Amino acid sequence: MTITFGSFDGVCSTAALVICIEPTCYSRNVQIGKTLIFQPSTCFIHIVAIIMTAIMIYHIRSKYTAVGRKEIVMFFWMYMIIELLAMFLDSGIIPTSNWFAAVYTGLVAAAYCCLLINGFVGFQFAEDGTPVSLWLLRISCSVVFGASFFIAIATFKSYAFSPTKSIALFVVYLLWPILCVATYTISQLILVFRTLDDRWPFGDIIFGIAFYAIAQVLLFAFSVTICNAITHYLDGLFFFTLCVLLSVMMVYKYWDSITREDLEFSVGSKAAVWEVKDPLLTASVTAPSTEYEEDASSYHAGAASLVGGVSGGQYYGSKQAYGGQGGYGQGGYGGARRAYPPTPTSEGY
């Protein structure tokens, strides 16, 4: 296959894309009732992708305090819509008209734009989850969608671009996704290397980019070879859709791995943070008080520590109040003498 910049002739002769008319080799069709279903195996992958995306969205929404939760979930919503539309377009249930193909092109370009912006959320240029961050993402995706939709429909209808030399559509449909994926990958490698101690997310990034690269190679280089070898049961579009799904799952796996411990109110793993070490606060806690009485289950001020050798039975052996001397004094700790062993003097402990 020979790919010429700005021309879809070589691409469409090999790959069964939505914007293409008919490739050289494509998978067999299935007739259900009076409806002819194109690409039935690919449609099955679309259904699996929709189900898997719904599961990933559920898990993302359950991590309430994770960084970039609202931003990344938008990417998965867009991917789900793209898969739903692609299922109807690939199967032929919806005729592949110019308008539907233009909408599909706009959604794909906007989804890659969303992924690109999500690559910079972790750097906190704008605090994630805030209106500034969310509206920046929404406006950027809307602008890219509108521009891509216009380029596609203007090319299909010959309004402003020629269908035979569609450089603008070539850039939007083929080069823009590669640019976004490359930028996202580089940004996440920098993020992991500079800010995280854990290096396991590198594996998710490597697997994700590997699946994406394999998808492009199988679709644009070996689609016809696969189709002829399997006697039209499958083609490159089937493996392309499957590998793209796996790469999207790696995006989720990577995001989940770097936000696993990002809980705003996590106490169990940071218990030492709540330890009081200020000597002034400690002195105020140990100051005696004669204004109220405390029972055995109340808080007792003073050096009440098992580390110092005072057992629970000795310390809480009495329900009397502090001594008249105000805690430590001539009589020792008021009321608690009965729990201690006798002492040879009367000067306290």
Side-chain angles (χ1 to χ4, degrees), residues 51-253:
I51 296 174
M52 294 302 300
T53 307
I55 296 174
M56 289 185 286
I57 290 175
Y58 171 78
H59 286 288
I60 292 173
R61 290 173 61 89
S62 65
K63 300 184 70 171
Y64 298 103
T65 58
V67 173
R69 178 179 69 96
K70 294 182 179 179
E71 287 81 2
I72 196 67
V73 78
M74 182 176 175
F75 167 74
F76 286 97
W77 277 117
M78 296 181 70
Y79 175 71
M80 177 183 286
I81 295 173
I82 290 172
E83 288 299 303
L84 181 63
L85 182 60
M87 181 180 65
F88 290 111
L89 292 175
D90 289 338
S91 63
I93 297 177
I94 296 179
T96 308
S97 63
N98 295 330
W99 292 99
F100 282 112
V103 171
Y104 177 82
T105 302
L107 286 174
V108 171
Y112 280 104
C113 175
C114 184
L115 180 66
L116 173 65
I117 297 177
N118 269 278
F120 297 97
V121 171
F123 295 94
Q124 294 291 293
F125 295 115
E127 187 176 356
D128 63 285
T130 59
V132 174
S133 177
L134 294 176
W135 279 106
L136 175 64
L137 179 62
R138 293 165 184 168
I139 293 174
S140 301
C141 293
S142 299
V143 170
V144 172
F145 171 80
S148 302
F149 175 81
F150 173 76
I151 291 174
I153 198 65
T155 302
F156 298 152
K157 297 290 186 180
S158 301
Y159 291 153
F161 303 100
S162 172
T164 58
K165 194 175 182 182
S166 51
I167 298 178
L169 183 61
F170 188 91
V171 172
V172 167
Y173 200 89
L174 296 178
L175 299 184
W176 171 251
I178 297 176
L179 175 63
C180 292
V181 170
T183 305
Y184 176 82
T185 303
I186 294 173
S187 65
Q188 297 314 293
L189 289 174
I190 296 174
L191 180 66
V192 173
F193 183 76
R194 295 185 60 182
T195 62
L196 299 181
D197 295 330
D198 188 8
R199 293 295 180 257
W200 283 107
F202 278 125
D204 301 327
I205 298 174
I206 293 173
F207 275 107
I209 196 66
F211 284 130
Y212 184 79
I214 292 172
Q216 308 303 316
V217 172
L218 291 178
L219 179 64
F220 296 110
F222 297 103
S223 182
V224 176
T225 303
I226 294 172
C227 183
N228 292 326
I230 314 179
T231 62
H232 293 251
Y233 283 102
L234 299 174
D235 60 356
L237 185 62
F238 170 84
F239 296 101
F240 171 82
T241 307
L242 177 61
C243 289
V244 169
L245 170 61
L246 294 175
S247 63
V248 171
M249 292 174 66
M250 287 296 102
V251 172
Y252 163 75
K253 182 65 173 62

Side-chain angles (χ1 to χ4, degrees), residues 19-30:
I19 62 175
C20 297
I21 303 299
E22 184 177 345
T24 303
C25 183
Y26 52 90
S27 63
R28 301 187 182 190
N29 308 323
V30 175

